[in-house]
Amino acid sequence: MVNDKYLYLIQLCMELQRGEDGRIEERMADEKPGPTAFAWFSGHTTCLYISIYFDGWTDEHGPDEDFRFNLSLKENRETEQKFRKCRDILLSLLKKEGKHGIL
Protein backbone atom coordinates (compact mmCIF):
# COMPACT_ATOMS: atom_id res chain seq x y z
CA MET A 1 0.00 0.00 0.00
CA VAL A 2 1.28 3.46 -0.88
CA ASN A 3 2.07 5.51 2.17
CA ASP A 4 -0.37 8.43 2.54
CA LYS A 5 2.48 10.92 2.73
CA TYR A 6 3.34 10.24 -0.91
CA LEU A 7 -0.27 10.78 -1.91
CA TYR A 8 0.06 14.09 -0.06
CA LEU A 9 3.00 15.06 -2.29
CA ILE A 10 0.88 14.31 -5.37
CA GLN A 11 -1.94 16.44 -3.92
CA LEU A 12 0.50 19.30 -3.37
CA CYS A 13 1.66 19.03 -6.98
CA MET A 14 -1.93 19.17 -8.20
CA GLU A 15 -2.76 22.12 -5.94
CA LEU A 16 0.24 24.01 -7.29
CA GLN A 17 -1.26 23.68 -10.79
CA ARG A 18 -4.66 25.02 -9.76
CA GLY A 19 -5.57 28.31 -11.41
CA GLU A 20 -7.56 31.19 -9.99
CA ASP A 21 -10.80 29.60 -11.22
CA GLY A 22 -9.98 26.38 -9.35
CA ARG A 23 -9.21 24.29 -12.43
CA ILE A 24 -5.90 22.60 -13.10
CA GLU A 25 -4.05 24.63 -15.72
CA GLU A 26 -1.01 24.50 -17.97
CA ARG A 27 2.09 26.27 -16.75
CA MET A 28 4.77 27.24 -19.23
CA ALA A 29 7.36 29.84 -18.34
CA ASP A 30 6.71 31.91 -21.47
CA GLU A 31 2.89 31.78 -21.33
CA LYS A 32 1.68 31.43 -17.75
CA PRO A 33 3.80 32.53 -14.83
CA GLY A 34 4.15 30.45 -11.73
CA PRO A 35 5.72 27.19 -10.68
CA THR A 36 5.08 23.89 -12.45
CA ALA A 37 5.13 20.44 -10.86
CA PHE A 38 5.34 17.06 -12.57
CA ALA A 39 4.41 13.85 -10.72
CA TRP A 40 4.80 10.43 -12.33
CA PHE A 41 4.11 7.06 -10.75
CA SER A 42 5.71 4.03 -12.33
CA GLY A 43 3.72 0.95 -11.36
CA HIS A 44 6.20 -1.63 -12.53
CA THR A 45 9.02 -0.17 -10.40
CA THR A 46 6.85 1.36 -7.62
CA CYS A 47 8.65 4.67 -8.02
CA LEU A 48 7.20 8.14 -7.68
CA TYR A 49 9.02 10.89 -9.56
CA ILE A 50 8.43 14.57 -8.81
CA SER A 51 10.05 17.40 -10.78
CA ILE A 52 9.57 21.03 -9.86
CA TYR A 53 10.17 24.10 -12.04
CA PHE A 54 10.08 27.22 -9.86
CA ASP A 55 9.22 29.63 -12.68
CA GLY A 56 7.18 27.41 -14.99
CA TRP A 57 8.13 24.62 -17.37
CA THR A 58 10.45 25.29 -20.26
CA ASP A 59 12.30 22.99 -22.63
CA GLU A 60 15.36 25.22 -22.30
CA HIS A 61 16.41 23.81 -18.92
CA GLY A 62 15.69 20.93 -16.59
CA PRO A 63 13.79 21.10 -13.32
CA ASP A 64 15.00 23.17 -10.40
CA GLU A 65 14.37 20.19 -8.12
CA ASP A 66 13.95 16.52 -9.00
CA PHE A 67 12.94 13.70 -6.62
CA ARG A 68 12.67 9.92 -6.94
CA PHE A 69 10.97 7.84 -4.27
CA ASN A 70 11.07 4.03 -4.41
CA LEU A 71 7.89 3.14 -2.53
CA SER A 72 8.79 -0.54 -2.16
CA LEU A 73 11.91 0.17 -0.09
CA LYS A 74 11.89 0.44 3.68
CA GLU A 75 11.96 4.05 4.91
CA ASN A 76 15.21 5.39 6.31
CA ARG A 77 16.63 8.75 7.38
CA GLU A 78 17.69 9.64 3.82
CA THR A 79 14.26 8.96 2.29
CA GLU A 80 12.56 10.85 5.12
CA GLN A 81 14.83 13.86 4.54
CA LYS A 82 14.14 13.72 0.80
CA PHE A 83 10.39 13.54 1.45
CA ARG A 84 10.56 16.54 3.80
CA LYS A 85 12.63 18.58 1.33
CA CYS A 86 10.14 17.90 -1.49
CA ARG A 87 7.15 18.64 0.75
CA ASP A 88 8.70 21.84 2.08
CA ILE A 89 9.52 23.13 -1.40
CA LEU A 90 5.98 22.47 -2.61
CA LEU A 91 4.46 24.07 0.50
CA SER A 92 6.74 27.09 0.10
CA LEU A 93 5.72 27.54 -3.54
CA LEU A 94 2.04 27.20 -2.63
CA LYS A 95 2.43 29.83 0.07
CA LYS A 96 4.27 32.13 -2.33
CA GLU A 97 1.41 31.70 -4.83
CA GLY A 98 -1.15 32.48 -2.10
CA LYS A 99 -2.68 28.99 -2.20
CA HIS A 100 -3.59 27.40 1.10
CA GLY A 101 -6.22 24.85 0.05
CA ILE A 102 -4.76 21.61 1.42
CA LEU A 103 -2.01 22.94 3.63
Side-chain angles (χ1 to χ4, degrees):
M1 179 176 201
V2 174
N3 191 317
D4 287 347
K5 68 186 195 178
Y6 295 107
L7 292 174
Y8 180 58
L9 291 180
I10 295 169
Q11 285 181 302
L12 291 175
C13 289
M14 296 292 290
E15 188 65 23
L16 194 60
Q17 296 305 127
R18 198 169 302 284
E20 290 181 17
D21 63 359
R23 297 182 323 159
I24 304 298
E25 64 183 18
E26 295 178 8
R27 290 279 175 80
M28 295 180 67
D30 59 346
E31 292 178 15
K32 288 215 178 200
T36 302
F38 290 80
W40 297 273
F41 175 70
S42 179
H44 73 292
T45 60
T46 65
C47 289
L48 173 65
Y49 303 91
I50 295 179
S51 298
I52 305 167
Y53 295 76
F54 296 159
D55 297 314
W57 179 86
T58 176
D59 60 358
E60 295 174 10
H61 66 82
D64 296 296
E65 292 287 346
D66 209 9
F67 298 92
R68 179 181 180 267
F69 301 97
N70 187 329
L71 306 183
S72 64
L73 295 179
K74 188 173 183 176
E75 293 260 338
N76 59 40
R77 181 182 295 175
E78 182 182 334
T79 57
E80 181 61 28
Q81 288 174 339
K82 188 168 45 169
F83 165 80
R84 287 181 183 180
K85 180 178 180 181
C86 182
R87 179 202 60 200
D88 292 348
I89 289 169
L90 290 167
L91 288 171
S92 172
L93 291 170
L94 283 164
K95 186 176 181 181
K96 181 180 171 188
E97 294 291 302
K99 300 174 182 178
H100 306 287
I102 62 170
L103 310 179

